[in-house]
Amino acid sequence: MATLKLFVILALCLATYAVPQLPPRPRSTIFGDEKLEGQIFEHADVFSDEISLLNTNANAYRLPKTTKPVHYNVLWTIDMARLVFEGIVNINLVATQSNVNEIVIHAADLEILSLELKQGDLTLPHTYNLEPDYHFLRVSLNSSLEYNPASPVTYTLSIRFGAELRNDMYGIYRSWFRNNSTDTESWIATTQFQATSARTAFPCYDEPSFKATFDITIRRPTSYRSWSCTRIRETVSSNTTGSYQDDIYYTTPIMSTYLLALIVAEYSSLEVMQNGAITYEVIARPAAIEANQGQYAFDVGQKLLAAMNDHTALNFYSMNPNLKMTQAAIPDFSAGAMENWGLLTYREAYLMYDPDQTNDYFKQLNAYILSHEITHMWFGNLVTCDWWDSTWLNEGFARYYQYFLTDWVEDYMGLPTRFITEQVHAALLSDSTNNPHPLTNPGVGSPQSISAMFSTISYNKGAAIIRMTEHLLGFNVHRQGLRNYLVDRAYDTVLPIHLFQALQEVGNSSGAFSAYGPTFDFIEYYRSWTDQAGHPVLTVNVNHGTGDMTITQRRFNINTGYSPVNTNYIIPITFATASNPDFTNTKPTHIIGNAVSVINRGSTGDQWVIFNKQQTGFYRVNYDDYTWDLITMALRGSNRAQIHEYNRAQIVNDVFQFARSGLMSYSRAFNILSFLQYETEYTPWVAAITGFSWIRNRLAGTPNLARMEAQIARWANTSITGLTYYPIPNESFMRSYLRYQLAPVLCSMNVRECRNAANQQFRRLVTERVEVPVNSRNWVYCNGLRDGTETDFNFLWNRFLTHNVYTEKIQLLMVLGCTPHNNSLNTFLNAIVQDNFIIRPQDYTTAFNSAVTGNEGNTQIVFQYIRNNLAAVIKAFGSATTPLSYISSRLRTEAEINEFQSWANQNRMELGDDFQAVYNGAENSRESIRWAEAVSEDINDYFVNGDSNIEQSTANPEVKPDPTTVTAPPLVEPETPTIPDSAVTSYVSLFLLISTILVNIVA
């Protein structure tokens, strides 16, 4: 009988295990709320293996280089009554090789009315056709173009074209404004060409490497004004029927098509005139100019321009005699701002400033976005990335100077400090996915893949790597290298190697690399950070008896701790110790490139060591347990300020991500973070707010949320007590800015002092018309609505409808969703999705996010609204994915997820191509719930046991004079074991199970 039972069990085991099992789903800590529009992982999957745009043939989207443009003459006729445009473009072009019998340029969404090719007065026979999938206009010739490199033969391709003014904020598009809240709508025609939309405005070579000069004429109604990249040479009456005039502009510099722009609007301006010509101006709707809302941009913009002139030793106005600088406020704008050469465009809220109605958040946006776009006049316009696979050469520098150029002019805004949390930390997180794109990303070709390159990595990581390199070289050496780079490549395009060589040359001549030995290769250093994706985490194991520090580098992964891809980086090393707490000298003492290195600390005995002074390097740092204990003791102690504020923020950010990824337990992480109860400085607390916000989203709907929030409130008590919930006379910008970020968190956790302060200030606004201080409106308005009535919502809604300062209107859109009332939310949502002139398309997601996230209960109210108005919601957003992702990312229970997915299945036809993304969004929330369950015991362990007692084991450290690099003993990298596939795994499991059964039977 026993034998029979054994065979039955074996048969069942075979039936169960012999079938190959699906591999387990890879561990992920990236959830839906981080993939929403504008969030850190919005484009995380674009370059993944599953969706890979790199699998497409990138070259299929590229223009052949067999011809190139030399000069364009473009006439645009803008019909503001019918909201259409027509144009004529004459492209002077030459062949770049022999036997060219086809001209290929870009044209998209245009009606081609006529096309002619001439050489001088001779018209050449041809045919042409459009390829919409690739946006190509192909002109086929009966004979080859003449090719003479010594004396190029010029051909003229003349094309008449036309189209409606677009409504998607790309190409030449229409937008509306009310000069005053009671006025009727006025139309404006404006442009956004970056990166691939110039082709929708006129047929052209729409790639950055095809630079040329342009003569532009804008034919517009006489009651309107026009602007373009250069100054107007003359205005003449048009020969067109009706009241039109032609504004004829001076020739542009040699430039790429994406940097062209035009505006036709009934606008006013603030102007600087020199020798009868405009050199600098701010333009906007007349009421904003009359109210002096443009004055700040007018004043600070000129200071920023002067500072950049000085920094680069290359004056903007010397680039071309016809240039001027126009800063233009645009009502609807898909991008935040755009660096069109000489005509810089911005969302109105990012350019207009009213000191009585605009908070410091928008003021600093005004300043640093001006800096960003002004910087592009050099980095992007004068010197342009050759192709979008190295977008960082444009955007990394603009983002870098966005902070540091602004700081030279507006030093009270704390921008070098904020660079740590806003750029370095954001870049490290974005760069830690399974498949982040490298800064230099070969294979980019399609418009979709080009768009994806305008990412946190290109901007934030690009800026962070530039900052790391500046500290490696030294400020003056780095600046001289950049000056040489700009002069050498002026009016041309660049590859990364051009930058590397310019910096290497000046680094060598200045001796900047002399401390790093003859084997250091600066170009290989830079390539290790730009050609390779990701970044390292250094694990530092300290022998406190000898002072030797063994440093292991591995690529960091936010999902699994370490990436399965082995990547070594060439890393500049700095460190400070308890015996030498010098955090000011950020020149690297060592450069490491191996997987394992040993550096002597320069002292013995138990003492803390902190790597990466002021977080100048782009990497994370983990330590052995005892060194972490020593760091924790120091952070809890009275001398914690010996550790630089930026490094305290670095520690906060690192331990949050180590715990998230599984490299560290939450119990240990919270033990380290416990120093926050004494912390009052900006950077550590903003880093903490980011980390706590993520963990609170994961714990929502679980018992641990209340415990977590109570702990956060206790730790924040010292900081908020010093800040208070009310403005303090003459307080610094940064203290006010910390309150601006900390108070909303405390109010959302229902800290009673915060809610009381909010309600008191809100009631004074409603009942006494006493304005809320501008820097408190973000949390006072929201919590006034949370605790208020429908009447309170109507009060703020009317304020939104009638206010004439756009920064205040945006602030209101960001908080109106805090109302918990169904009727009020429906009023708000109707204004988003209905075709009206209330909420702008550029602000739909801001408003919708406010509605969904304003209160925990709002998610289901908005979901019900979508169910009742699905067609209207899809029409407003262009798809169902975006609005429903706001819902799916906030589903808190399995029951809510099942209900959501059931509804999606029932409405699969209406959802169409969006169905799978919508369904998967809910599944992602299911993974978030499971993640919270998996770490609940770890998190609860800290709540139960509290902070651990840490004691130092030995006495004072012995100081050694100079840290030295020690040659590590030969290290053998462990081989990665061969992982069995599912069938083999099943066989092994089966063997073990059978063995166990046999043992039990024999026993």
Side-chain angles (χ1 to χ4, degrees):
M1 180 62 70
T3 304
L4 177 60
K5 287 182 178 179
L6 173 61
F7 280 108
V8 170
I9 292 171
L10 289 175
L12 291 172
C13 291
L14 285 169
T16 302
Y17 284 89
V19 178
Q21 304 294 305
L22 291 174
R25 187 178 180 87
R27 183 180 190 270
S28 177
T29 67
I30 300 173
F31 303 112
D33 51 302
E34 296 176 286
K35 296 182 178 182
L36 298 173
E37 183 176 318
Q39 296 303 310
I40 194 77
F41 293 122
E42 179 186 357
H43 299 297
D45 297 327
V46 170
F47 293 102
S48 70
D49 291 338
E50 291 78 18
I51 307 174
S52 184
L53 293 168
L54 299 179
N55 289 335
T56 63
N57 182 0
N59 289 331
Y61 293 90
R62 300 293 303 274
L63 292 178
K65 294 186 179 293
T66 52
T67 64
K68 68 176 183 180
V70 177
H71 179 75
Y72 294 76
N73 278 282
V74 193
L75 164 67
W76 278 293
T77 300
I78 309 297
D79 186 335
M80 299 302 297
R82 296 190 299 132
L83 299 178
V84 300
F85 69 91
E86 291 187 359
I88 302 172
V89 60
N90 297 316
I91 308 174
N92 295 337
L93 58 91
V94 297
T96 60
Q97 63 184 56
S98 57
N99 301 318
V100 175
N101 55 17
E102 184 181 49
I103 300 168
V104 186
I105 63 173
H106 284 114
D109 301 333
L110 293 170
E111 182 181 2
I112 304 301
L113 302 174
S114 67
L115 186 149
E116 185 178 55
L117 179 65
K118 285 188 172 184
Q119 181 188 353
D121 295 328
L122 177 64
T123 300
L124 304 179
H126 64 273
T127 59
Y128 71 87
N129 68 289
L130 293 165
E131 285 189 65
D133 289 346
Y134 296 98
H135 299 170
F136 289 158
L137 170 58
R138 294 184 177 274
V139 182
S140 300
L141 312 176
N142 292 351
S143 59
S144 298
L145 300 176
E146 290 186 44
Y147 172 63
N148 186 341
S151 180
V153 177
T154 301
Y155 295 83
T156 301
L157 181 62
S158 300
I159 308 171
R160 289 183 60 243
F161 55 91
E164 292 184 357
L165 293 176
R166 299 175 70 94
N167 61 3
D168 61 357
M169 294 180 283
Y170 287 98
I172 304 179
Y173 68 93
R174 64 181 187 263
S175 181
W176 60 270
F177 67 89
R178 293 190 186 91
N179 196 36
N180 293 290
S181 61
T182 57
D183 292 348
T184 57
E185 297 79 26
S186 297
W187 289 102
I188 170 178
T190 186
T191 55
Q192 172 60 17
F193 289 171
Q194 193 182 53
T196 59
S197 292
R199 65 194 65 174
T200 69
F202 69 117
C204 59
Y205 292 80
D206 196 17
E207 292 185 8
S209 65
F210 288 98
K211 287 192 169 187
T213 54
F214 296 81
D215 281 330
I216 293 171
T217 299
I218 300 175
R219 182 167 293 163
R220 42 82 187 169
T222 54
S223 60
Y224 285 72
R225 296 176 64 185
S226 82
W227 289 265
S228 191
C229 300
T230 55
R231 294 192 301 272
I232 295 176
R233 179 164 59 85
E234 62 176 329
T235 298
V236 298
S237 296
S238 170
N239 55 14
T240 302
T241 303
S243 300
Y244 280 82
Q245 289 180 307
D246 290 355
D247 290 331
I248 304 169
Y249 287 84
Y250 283 105
T251 304
T252 70
I254 300 170
M255 61 189 291
S256 305
T257 50
Y258 79 90
L259 292 168
L260 291 169
L262 66 91
I263 293 173
V264 174
E266 296 172 302
Y267 265 15
S268 295
S269 59
L270 294 171
E271 301 171 350
V272 175
M273 303 287 291
Q274 292 184 356
N275 300 320
I278 292 174
T279 57
Y280 186 94
E281 63 181 335
V282 174
I283 67 172
R285 57 187 173 89
I289 295 295
E290 291 163 9
N292 293 321
Q293 293 179 32
Q295 193 64 48
Y296 180 68
F298 185 74
D299 294 335
V300 78
Q302 292 181 74
K303 294 176 183 178
L304 293 167
L305 181 59
M308 200 62 184
N309 285 338
D310 177 70
H311 180 71
T312 60
L314 181 59
N315 191 289
F316 168 75
Y317 295 107
S318 72
M319 295 179 187
N320 185 278
N322 305 321
L323 278 175
K324 44 76 187 173
M325 182 168 284
T326 301
Q327 316 284 3
I330 306 301
D332 282 303
F333 197 29
S334 59
M338 179 60 203
E339 67 268 19
N340 315 298
W341 210 345
L343 177 53
L344 294 73
T345 47
Y346 306 77
R347 290 190 183 189
E348 183 173 326
Y350 296 168
L351 193 67
M352 298 289 101
Y353 170 77
D354 182 326
D356 295 325
Q357 300 295 333
T358 304
N359 62 30
D360 284 347
Y361 169 76
F362 280 106
K363 182 179 184 181
Q364 57 89 31
L365 274 182
N366 285 184
Y368 79 27
I369 294 178
L370 275 162
S371 276
H372 183 105
E373 305 311 330
I374 287 171
T375 296
H376 270 310
M377 302 302 106
W378 289 263
F379 295 92
N381 297 15
L382 181 68
V383 172
T384 311
C385 64
D386 190 71
W387 179 239
W388 301 115
D389 58 358
S390 54
T391 301
W392 71 274
L393 289 172
N394 289 10
E395 299 301 344
F397 279 100
R399 181 59 57 86
Y400 176 80
Y401 286 112
Q402 173 178 322
Y403 282 76
F404 295 97
L405 171 61
T406 310
D407 183 62
W408 301 334
V409 173
E410 300 282 79
D411 59 1
Y412 59 90
M413 291 182 175
L415 285 156
T417 295
R418 290 168 45 205
F419 188 90
I420 302 300
T421 53
E422 295 172 12
Q423 300 302 311
V424 177
H425 291 179
L428 286 167
L429 183 57
S430 179
D431 196 40
S432 64
T433 62
N434 295 340
N435 297 284
H437 71 78
L439 282 172
T440 302
N441 191 21
V444 171
S446 70
Q448 293 83 359
S449 64
I450 291 169
S451 178
M453 287 300 293
F454 288 82
S455 64
T456 303
I457 290 175
S458 293
Y459 285 75
N460 303 45
K461 181 180 179 180
I465 299 303
I466 290 164
R467 175 175 175 263
M468 177 170 69
T469 304
E470 181 181 275
H471 284 270
L472 170 63
L473 288 165
F475 177 84
N476 291 330
V477 174
H478 189 250
R479 179 179 61 180
Q480 187 58 54
L482 295 181
R483 286 176 172 179
N484 296 347
Y485 165 76
L486 291 171
V487 171
D488 291 345
R489 304 302 301 177
Y491 311 102
D492 206 342
T493 60
V494 289
L495 301 170
I497 190 61
H498 296 127
L499 172 67
F500 304 162
Q501 289 172 339
L503 293 175
Q504 178 180 248
E505 182 178 343
V506 73
N508 284 332
S509 63
S510 67
F513 308 135
S514 59
Y516 309 129
T519 61
F520 175 69
D521 187 322
F522 176 79
I523 291 177
E524 289 308 306
Y525 149 79
Y526 225 135
R527 279 179 170 154
S528 80
W529 295 99
T530 58
D531 291 1
Q532 299 182 136
H535 60 273
V537 54
L538 303 187
T539 301
V540 180
N541 283 277
V542 183
N543 184 325
H544 294 278
T546 65
D548 285 348
M549 302 181 294
T550 303
I551 306 160
T552 305
Q553 64 158 306
R554 291 188 66 176
R555 179 167 150 186
F556 181 70
N557 184 288
I558 196 61
N559 299 313
T560 56
Y562 299 124
S563 171
V565 178
N566 291 325
T567 306
N568 281 351
Y569 304 84
I570 300 174
I571 308 169
I573 296 295
T574 58
F575 61 90
T577 65
S579 59
N580 183 22
D582 174 18
F583 284 89
T584 58
N585 182 5
T586 57
K587 173 74 173 174
T589 54
H590 303 76
I591 305 287
I592 65 173
N594 296 327
V596 182
S597 305
V598 179
I599 295 175
N600 191 273
R601 188 175 63 189
S603 61
T604 59
D606 292 2
Q607 61 169 304
W608 57 259
V609 59
I610 304 291
F611 270 60
N612 201 5
K613 294 181 186 180
Q614 298 188 40
Q615 205 166 13
T616 51
F618 192 70
Y619 52 89
R620 299 191 185 278
V621 188
N622 201 358
Y623 302 90
D624 63 82
D625 287 351
Y626 185 58
T627 301
W628 267 126
D629 287 347
L630 294 173
I631 293 170
T632 303
M633 288 175 62
L635 291 171
R636 291 177 181 173
S638 58
N639 292 325
R640 73 185 64 85
Q642 276 191 330
I643 299 173
H644 197 281
E645 175 188 346
Y646 298 0
N647 289 95
R648 302 200 304 272
Q650 171 195 9
I651 289 167
V652 170
N653 182 252
D654 278 352
V655 299
F656 265 119
Q657 308 314 336
F658 292 157
R660 171 176 174 172
S661 65
L663 289 183
M664 179 183 287
S665 71
Y666 270 101
S667 181
R668 171 170 282 278
F670 291 153
N671 259 284
I672 298 169
L673 293 170
S674 64
F675 83 91
L676 289 168
Q677 63 191 298
Y678 313 110
E679 183 62 69
T680 59
E681 293 303 319
Y682 177 90
T683 323
W685 259 113
V686 171
I689 289 168
T690 301
F692 286 135
S693 295
W694 187 86
I695 194 69
R696 286 176 63 214
N697 279 334
R698 307 286 74 77
L699 298 180
T702 73
N704 274 334
L705 178 63
R707 301 182 188 120
M708 185 77 258
E709 292 185 340
Q711 185 65 69
I712 297 169
R714 284 192 292 270
W715 283 341
N717 185 63
T718 298
S719 183
I720 197 63
T721 298
L723 292 170
T724 81
Y725 290 104
Y726 299 89
I728 298 171
N730 301 317
E731 69 182 334
S732 70
F733 179 99
M734 291 295 281
R735 297 300 288 169
S736 174
Y737 205 50
L738 178 55
R739 180 192 303 111
Y740 175 86
Q741 296 178 75
L742 185 55
V745 175
L746 297 176
C747 276
S748 71
M749 297 190 309
N750 203 28
V751 172
R752 188 44 46 195
E753 294 82 359
C754 186
R755 297 293 277 259
N756 289 342
N759 287 328
Q760 182 185 49
Q761 294 174 74
F762 185 76
R763 294 263 62 87
R764 291 195 69 195
L765 171 66
V766 173
T767 60
E768 304 173 39
R769 300 301 189 266
V770 175
E771 291 282 354
V772 177
V774 290
N775 290 319
S776 299
R777 292 179 186 180
N778 62 320
W779 56 278
V780 168
Y781 287 172
C782 180
N783 291 285
L785 289 179
R786 282 174 176 157
D787 296 329
T789 65
E790 291 185 26
T791 301
D792 292 325
F793 171 84
N794 292 336
F795 173 83
L796 284 188
W797 179 239
N798 187 63
R799 184 180 175 94
F800 167 77
L801 294 174
T802 59
H803 214 282
N804 209 32
V805 177
Y806 208 75
T807 51
E808 176 69 357
K809 291 175 79 72
I810 293 294
Q811 180 63 80
L812 288 162
L813 284 181
M814 294 165 70
V815 300
L816 282 164
C818 293
T819 180
H821 302 292
N822 199 318
N823 290 336
S824 298
L825 276 174
N826 275 267
T827 297
F828 192 35
L829 293 166
N830 283 335
I832 299 171
V833 304
Q834 292 180 357
D835 192 6
N836 53 42
F837 291 95
I838 300 176
I839 296 177
R840 299 182 174 283
Q842 69 179 13
D843 301 325
Y844 282 176
T845 54
T846 297
F848 202 83
N849 179 56
S850 171
V852 176
T853 64
N855 292 287
E856 191 64 33
N858 285 16
T859 303
Q860 292 302 318
I861 297 175
V862 178
F863 183 33
Q864 186 59 51
Y865 179 90
I866 293 176
R867 295 193 212 193
N868 296 336
N869 301 274
L870 181 59
V873 170
I874 291 174
K875 180 181 177 183
F877 285 92
S879 78
T881 302
T882 297
L884 284 167
S885 66
Y886 285 95
I887 304 296
S888 64
S889 65
R890 289 176 59 84
L891 300 173
R892 305 305 194 192
T893 66
E894 294 278 355
E896 289 181 350
I897 291 168
N898 292 337
E899 179 188 8
F900 182 93
Q901 290 182 330
S902 175
W903 172 84
N905 278 320
Q906 293 167 11
N907 291 272
R908 189 165 189 159
M909 184 175 295
E910 290 83 352
L911 294 173
D913 293 340
D914 297 327
F915 167 77
Q916 199 61 55
V918 169
Y919 189 92
N920 290 346
E923 200 61 32
N924 195 248
S925 287
R926 198 188 306 276
E927 293 177 8
S928 178
I929 292 171
R930 291 171 180 167
W931 183 91
E933 291 172 349
V935 301
S936 62
E937 184 177 348
D938 179 17
I939 290 175
N940 197 52
D941 178 65
Y942 179 79
F943 297 144
V944 171
N945 297 312
D947 294 334
S948 59
N949 293 320
I950 303 171
E951 295 182 359
Q952 186 172 328
S953 64
T954 60
N956 296 329
E958 175 189 345
V959 179
K960 292 184 178 180
D962 296 307
T964 57
T965 302
V966 178
T967 302
L971 296 167
V972 179
E973 188 171 335
E975 293 183 5
T976 303
T978 302
I979 305 298
D981 63 21
S982 56
V984 175
T985 305
S986 300
Y987 180 82
V988 172
S989 302
L990 174 62
F991 175 80
L992 293 174
L993 183 60
I994 292 173
S995 300
T996 303
I997 293 170
L998 287 173
V999 169
N1000 288 331
I1001 290 175
V1002 170

